Amino acid sequence: QSALTQPASVSGSPGQSITISCTGTSSDVGGYNYVSWYQQHPGKAPKLMIYEVSNRPSGVSNRFSGSKSGNTASLTISGLQAEDEADYYCSSYTSSSTLWVFGGGTKLTVL
Amino acid sequence: EVQLVESGGGLVKPGGSLRLSCAASGFTFSSYSMNWVRQAPGKGLEWVSSISSSSSYIYYADSVKGRFTISRDNAKNSLYLQMNSLRAEDTAVYYCARGIYEGFDPWGQGTLVTVSS
């Protein structure tokens, strides 16, 4: 069982917006602004999409945005495109003995 | 171009050992913390270990503590993971990743470790 809880799957049609949630505790998501999001296409390495809750690295489309409320972080993808179909993982710093924790991952299907 | 290339994976028997390497290029390796993250077949990501830029701070997941050792050689721009007493549940693709923005970026292509008799 992963430390952070994500929905197993989400789907949307091209052009629509979707949101993926990532729920933790006050020891991780709720306690620090160190939440990041990763995109992983099949057979590929993960790619950083959002860091420190809501910041985009250079080169990442502005269709990707992040936010946080309490112990839940969210990734929103607007204007869905076929190339967005992938697995998405959230991660957070944690004050527990484990330094970093990941969510179980969410499979995004573009219908 | 910032690049990380892992090597050293393979098939090993339970109880055996393996040493993974990660060669870094395109950035000042000695200025960044480095990490190992693994992914079991068909499963999610699991943080394994982190090491600070000067090796002063080292952290491990509870699942590998006492069995795995992370190290780095800044003169060789290389990161290592010595894995001992391997178990079937250690079977995974192991990624090295640079620590930046309190996250991981970029990631290497990964190296597969299979623990099986």
Side-chain angles (χ1 to χ4, degrees):
Chain A
Q1 186 172 352
S2 302
L4 305 179
T5 301
Q6 298 180 233
S9 63
V10 298
S11 62
S13 299
Q16 288 186 331
S17 294
I18 63 94
T19 297
I20 300 171
S21 61
C22 170
T23 301
T25 69
S26 57
S27 296
D28 39 65
V29 174
Y32 307 91
N33 287 326
Y34 294 147
V35 176
S36 50
W37 289 90
Y38 302 87
Q39 176 191 65
Q40 186 180 35
H41 288 109
K44 300 295 187 182
K47 174 186 175 184
L48 178 67
M49 305 302 285
I50 295 288
Y51 66 94
E52 293 174 1
V53 176
S54 59
N55 296 296
R56 278 187 312 276
S58 174
V60 172
S61 171
N62 59 9
R63 298 186 298 106
F64 291 82
S65 62
S67 62
K68 189 184 83 167
S69 177
N71 295 336
T72 298
S74 298
L75 172 71
T76 298
I77 308 174
S78 60
L80 270 179
Q81 299 179 1
E83 67 209 48
D84 299 332
E85 186 163 291
D87 292 326
Y88 290 85
Y89 294 90
C90 62
S91 176
S92 174
Y93 173 83
T94 174
S95 59
S96 73
S97 60
T98 300
L99 196 64
W100 299 98
V101 290
F102 283 93
T106 298
K107 181 177 181 58
L108 168 62
T109 300
V110 180
L111 302 170
Chain B
E1 178 193 5
V2 176
Q3 192 171 16
L4 299 170
V5 178
E6 302 93 337
S7 60
L11 175 63
V12 61
K13 289 181 168 56
S17 299
L18 212 54
R19 189 195 195 206
L20 306 183
S21 299
C22 172
S25 60
F27 66 101
T28 304
F29 181 73
S30 59
S31 296
Y32 294 88
S33 65
M34 294 296 296
N35 309 271
W36 288 100
V37 178
R38 68 184 180 183
Q39 186 171 34
K43 301 297 184 182
L45 301 171
E46 179 189 15
W47 171 78
V48 172
S49 183
S50 296
I51 185 169
S52 64
S53 57
S54 61
S55 303
S56 298
Y57 301 97
I58 288 175
Y59 307 90
Y60 298 99
D62 289 343
S63 58
V64 307
K65 200 172 294 183
R67 300 188 298 122
F68 289 12
T69 301
I70 191 173
S71 63
R72 64 189 294 162
D73 186 336
N74 287 342
K76 294 183 178 180
N77 291 341
S78 294
L79 174 72
Y80 306 102
L81 186 67
Q82 177 66 44
M83 304 185 296
N84 299 331
S85 303
L86 283 162
R87 307 166 180 167
E89 53 263 37
D90 295 319
T91 294
V93 174
Y94 284 73
Y95 296 100
C96 68
R98 183 178 65 173
I100 192 170
Y101 307 137
E102 300 305 331
F104 309 103
D105 180 61
W107 300 54
Q109 86 288 350
T111 187
L112 177 61
V113 172
T114 303
V115 184
S116 174
S117 55

